Amino acid sequence: MGVKLRERWGRQPVWARWALAVYLIGFLVGTRTHVLDVARDGVHAYAMFPQVPLQVFFVSLVVLDPLVIVLVGLARREGIWLAGAVMVLDMCGNWWGNRHWLHDDPSQLMRLVPLTIFGVFVVASVLPLHRAVAGMADKPETAVPSA
């Protein structure tokens, strides 16, 4: 499995490898954040959001973020699509759930800047990255010389 995975990553264009690595780092940070939140406060970790669907979504990221990591780590097209969907929902949920700061204390919204930058990167790169990974998946595999 390791040789195939190395070959799968190795066949990607350099920019795609970098993009996949950024996805992995970003979703690792997200996984850490959501796991720590849920470990600390349980299913009520996101009770600050009055909308139950937002609370459920943010708790579900304990499963969705690691799933993205596994699929992207395997350079799977499904992982790229899932990453895009998760980030759209995550950004929308965070901005909607924190919108009261627009009136109360706009400086609090600065904590959403890293999430937004990462989310915009993911959403903007989904299609080209999907094409790159799909293109490499369609090419025949080459034999890896044994050492």
Side-chain angles (χ1 to χ4, degrees):
M1 177 69 177
V3 172
K4 281 190 170 192
L5 184 58
R6 192 170 351 144
E7 182 178 314
R8 190 166 175 85
W9 271 72
R11 291 188 302 163
Q12 301 302 320
V14 172
W15 72 266
R17 282 184 267 169
W18 278 102
L20 290 169
V22 170
Y23 276 38
L24 291 174
I25 292 166
F27 280 96
L28 280 167
V29 170
T31 297
R32 178 188 168 276
T33 300
H34 295 291
V35 166
L36 289 175
D37 288 348
V38 171
R40 183 184 57 241
D41 298 320
V43 294
H44 302 292
Y46 301 102
M48 76 283 267
F49 296 116
Q51 303 87 356
V52 173
L54 282 182
Q55 295 174 25
V56 170
F57 171 71
F58 288 123
V59 169
S60 75
L61 290 175
V62 170
V63 174
L64 291 173
D65 282 352
L67 180 59
V68 169
I69 291 167
V70 169
L71 293 173
V72 167
L74 294 171
R76 301 285 308 205
R77 293 172 278 189
E78 299 85 355
I80 296 164
W81 285 117
L82 182 60
V86 166
M87 286 314 302
V88 165
L89 293 171
D90 198 352
M91 285 191 306
C92 290
N94 268 289
W95 278 98
W96 178 258
N98 289 293
R99 71 191 182 288
H100 65 278
W101 292 116
L102 288 171
H103 297 289
D104 300 343
D105 185 5
S107 67
Q108 289 292 319
L109 293 173
M110 288 302 292
R111 60 192 173 90
L112 295 178
V113 170
L115 170 78
T116 303
I117 291 170
F118 177 65
V120 168
F121 171 77
V122 170
V123 171
S125 64
V126 163
L127 286 177
L129 191 54
H130 179 267
R131 286 185 191 123
V133 170
M136 292 300 119
D138 295 339
K139 290 186 178 181
E141 296 184 24
T142 58
V144 175
S146 58

